[in-house]
Each structure stands twice: as C-alpha cells, then as structure tokens.
Amino acid sequence: MPTRDASRAQVGYISEYPHNPDRAAETAAHDLETSSLFWKAETIQRGKQTIYGNAWPKDFAAVAGCKQRVLDLHASGQLAALVDEKRTFAGLESVADAIEYMLSGEAVGKVVVRIGDP
C-alpha cells in the first residue's frame, strides 16, 4: 500500500460502482470524495502526495498507443500491479466468490482467480 507521501493513480474502484447497494456507506468511509476524483478525472495534492483520478484518456484510441510502453515498464520492473493477497481463489467455481469479494470493498488491488496448475 502506498504511503501518504507516495503518488497514487486511481483508475477504478469496483466497490463503489452503481450496482453496489452499499456504495454510499463505503464512499462516506473515505477521507476523499473518490467518486468525484474518478468520474471527473480530477487530480489533487494532499501534502507531498499527488492523487490522480481516472487516468484513462477520453479518446480510447490513445490507449492502444500506450500498450507497448506499459508492457516495457512492467518487463523492466518499473511498473507492478498491486495484487490483493488477503484471500485466494482457485478454479472456475470460485469466480462468483471472487466477484463478491471485489464488490465487498475489502479488496485492495487486483483479485486473482487461479485456473489450472500454477
């Protein structure tokens, strides 16, 4: 988890999607209005920290041009995905549980469902 001095990029948050009946309570639990940051693509400063809202460009064709750069950054170790390791999910039969966990608001990072041999 980034420290309060670190930069963060927020590009999505499934627990606060409109189909989540608990989204109002989960939004109220944060010290920032994260839905505004995301939907309005806002960027704010909080101390030394820069918090970026939805970083996706409005023109999704521009995303395709960034693919190789992202892959290169990942391959060099300069970019890593935050994977939630609090719960593990294995097999197709656990997909529904993994989605329920994502919607719970407890997940921090990507939720992985392992299929087949590791």
Side-chain angles (χ1 to χ4, degrees):
M1 193 73 178
T3 67
R4 287 182 93 60
D5 291 339
S7 292
R8 294 184 191 177
Q10 173 192 336
V11 294
Y13 57 108
I14 196 167
S15 67
E16 295 184 22
Y17 280 10
H19 62 270
N20 178 3
D22 299 323
R23 70 183 175 276
E26 291 171 7
T27 296
H30 301 297
D31 62 338
L32 293 172
E33 180 56 50
T34 53
S35 61
S36 178
L37 285 173
F38 181 79
W39 295 113
K40 295 179 182 176
E42 295 176 340
T43 299
I44 64 168
Q45 287 292 134
R46 184 170 66 177
K48 295 179 183 178
Q49 186 179 59
T50 303
I51 302 176
Y52 301 96
N54 186 346
W56 293 107
K58 301 292 184 222
D59 174 9
F60 285 106
V63 174
C66 299
K67 177 181 164 186
Q68 192 57 50
R69 179 169 184 256
V70 170
L71 292 173
D72 291 344
L73 287 169
H74 183 268
S76 71
Q78 295 177 18
L79 177 67
L82 177 64
V83 176
D84 186 294
E85 296 180 353
K86 290 181 283 186
R87 295 209 30 207
T88 58
F89 301 95
L92 291 175
E93 64 278 2
S94 71
V95 169
D97 291 334
I99 292 171
E100 185 174 315
Y101 178 60
M102 286 189 301
L103 292 173
S104 75
E106 295 175 39
V108 176
K110 300 297 181 189
V111 175
V112 176
V113 177
R114 299 202 187 280
I115 308 294
D117 295 328

